[in-house]
Amino acid sequence: MVLGFTFVAVIGLRAEDSSTALEQALAQSGTNRDTLQQALNQASADIRPDLEFIIENMPVSDLQTLSGAFLLKDAQLAHESFAAAPWHDQVPRDVYLNYVLPYANATETRESWRQTMRDKCLPLITDCKTPGEAAQRLNEKIWKLTNVKYSTGRKRADQSPSETMDSGLASCTGLTILLVDACRSVGVPARLVGTPMWMNMRGNHTWVEVWDNGWHFTGAAEPDPKGLDHTWFEHDASEAQKD
């Protein structure tokens, strides 16, 4: 099952005045406010809007515990990776904010995964020209590189990237988090999606969607030779009902 909140639902562009949204967020940050304000003051002109967006939309529990230094460094790395991506000019600003910039997907442990994942992933996609091509390549290569495989023996469903790589085992949710973060580390917009129960009552599942001039799906650690939008669960997903 996909646990707790996801940034797909939580982080989104707000219609209200940004300064009002930022002040409301800071007001909820409790004793952590000083570190957040210090990070905002230190942020360069091109990073500050990104940092404001994250602070305005992050869960209250993170507002009160994640340091401003952590958020500033993560935003800087996200900005740098995205700016260097060949598809940079093809991705709308709101897609970048929601699906490259966020530091987490669901309820996984918060950690500084972005530089580690970028170091592993960037050499794999040097010849990729589109985000979809890069995502497919990562899904083909990173599992052997990180020695990670699917297993019901994993410690928890919603593992962070380091927890998954340290153990070498992950649920579909853990695999999805790892692939999403791998994509985001090199500027590919990606998000965690899933179902709490298939229509045939066979269980739940989590997978990845990648943005490449629209959203496309793939199974983490289940790359299809035909590319994106081809998986073993296409028929199951096609039976979904809106209600």
Side-chain angles (χ1 to χ4, degrees):
M1 182 177 294
V2 179
L3 303 174
F5 73 89
T6 67
F7 278 94
V8 172
V10 173
I11 287 190
L13 296 173
R14 297 192 178 191
E16 61 194 289
D17 179 74
S18 178
S19 61
T20 301
L22 181 61
E23 181 53 40
Q24 289 175 347
L26 291 173
Q28 298 180 77
S29 63
T31 58
N32 200 39
R33 178 167 184 154
D34 286 348
T35 74
L36 299 178
Q37 189 63 64
Q38 184 176 14
L40 288 165
N41 294 341
Q42 293 174 347
S44 60
D46 55 344
I47 300 298
R48 172 143 182 158
D50 295 359
L51 185 57
E52 289 182 356
F53 180 85
I54 286 294
I55 291 174
E56 289 167 13
N57 292 282
M58 62 196 292
V60 173
S61 58
D62 288 352
L63 269 174
Q64 296 176 349
T65 56
L66 294 183
S67 73
F70 168 86
L71 295 173
L72 177 57
K73 181 62 175 179
D74 193 75
Q76 290 170 334
L77 290 171
H79 182 90
E80 177 183 327
S81 296
F82 184 62
W87 47 84
H88 172 268
D89 293 335
Q90 304 167 24
V91 178
R93 171 72 174 167
D94 66 313
V95 173
Y96 163 74
L97 289 174
N98 284 281
Y99 306 112
V100 176
L101 180 62
Y103 54 82
N105 296 271
T107 52
E108 72 266 33
T109 302
R110 295 352 188 185
E111 63 181 30
S112 301
W113 51 265
R114 206 176 291 267
Q115 186 66 62
T116 299
M117 293 305 301
R118 186 186 184 194
D119 291 344
K120 292 180 182 295
C121 296
L122 192 59
L124 303 178
I125 64 159
T126 53
D127 61 334
C128 294
K129 304 301 182 185
T130 68
E133 183 184 3
Q136 177 73 3
R137 178 76 57 78
L138 292 174
N139 203 10
E140 293 169 348
K141 300 290 187 180
I142 64 169
W143 312 108
K144 183 177 181 179
L145 178 67
T146 58
N147 196 30
V148 167
K149 63 181 180 180
Y150 172 80
S151 175
T152 56
R154 79 293 184 274
K155 293 182 178 179
R156 50 185 282 189
D158 56 335
Q159 292 175 163
S160 67
S162 71
E163 291 168 341
T164 290
M165 290 187 289
D166 287 347
S167 69
L169 307 175
S171 67
C172 58
T173 302
L175 295 174
T176 294
I177 289 171
L178 183 61
L179 182 55
V180 168
D181 288 350
C183 288
R184 290 178 176 179
S185 75
V186 292
V188 173
R191 65 190 183 188
L192 176 153
V193 296
T195 178
M197 184 63 68
W198 294 117
M199 284 297 295
N200 58 16
M201 308 302 290
R202 186 165 49 81
N204 59 75
H205 193 49
T206 308
W207 60 93
V208 179
E209 286 188 344
V210 176
W211 192 94
D212 188 346
N213 196 30
W215 288 103
H216 305 273
F217 58 88
T218 188
E222 300 169 330
D224 192 292
K226 296 189 293 292
L228 301 179
D229 296 332
H230 296 283
T231 69
W232 62 266
F233 56 83
E234 288 175 70
H235 175 71
D236 291 342
S238 72
E239 295 184 333
Q241 298 178 4
K242 292 184 178 180
D243 59 353

